[in-house]
Amino acid sequence: MRRLIVDVRPGEYTVARLPADAPVPAGLLDHELVSVTRTPDELSVVCPSEHAPGTGAAQPGWRLLTVRGPLEFTLTGIMAALSGELAAAGVSLFALSTYDTDHLLVKSSDLGRAVSALRSSGHEVHLPV
């Protein structure tokens, strides 16, 4: 696996679950990183905690790690390598991919272990200023 550059983003994120027929909360898409996914069973939202929907189930306390991209679609194994390195360190994650790159959310309490595991595996990790 090639050496990756991973940026730890400032602030806390929330992963929330709303009913499948719920509308996307107004103004939600106005923030830096937001993911909204609708399935037949749920509307799943990842967003900065201060903008999390007030209804539904919510899991606050996540930190966002972003692989510096853009990454070519022909690259393989990036998410597998990162998730494997975190799993070996006992860090669970919530993964997101976008057109340009991959994002990992880890619980705030696991951030130090996550950074150490990624650095030990040869990746460059930048913390927020």
Side-chain angles (χ1 to χ4, degrees):
M1 166 56 40
R2 71 181 221 188
R3 178 173 176 241
L4 299 169
I5 301 173
V6 179
D7 295 308
V8 177
R9 301 294 186 182
E12 180 181 286
Y13 282 76
T14 293
V15 178
R17 181 190 190 281
L18 301 172
D21 60 351
V24 175
L28 186 66
L29 299 177
D30 297 339
H31 307 289
E32 185 174 320
L33 183 133
V34 173
S35 176
V36 178
T37 304
R38 186 181 305 278
T39 71
D41 300 317
E42 67 178 304
L43 179 70
S44 182
V45 174
V46 177
C47 64
S49 291
E50 63 268 22
H51 304 290
T55 59
Q59 292 286 322
W62 295 88
R63 293 299 304 273
L64 176 65
L65 291 77
T66 298
V67 178
R68 206 173 282 180
L71 303 173
E72 297 295 325
F73 279 105
T74 56
L75 295 175
T76 60
I78 291 173
M79 192 60 79
L82 295 174
S83 63
E85 292 154 1
L86 294 178
V91 176
S92 62
L93 64 92
F94 187 97
L96 294 171
S97 291
T98 62
Y99 189 92
D100 284 339
T101 194
D102 293 321
H103 307 273
L104 305 168
L105 290 109
V106 300
K107 291 301 277 187
S108 295
S109 58
D110 291 334
L111 181 61
R113 265 188 308 148
V115 168
S116 293
L118 295 175
R119 285 180 174 161
S120 294
S121 297
H123 304 295
E124 186 177 331
V125 181
H126 295 265
L127 298 170
V129 200

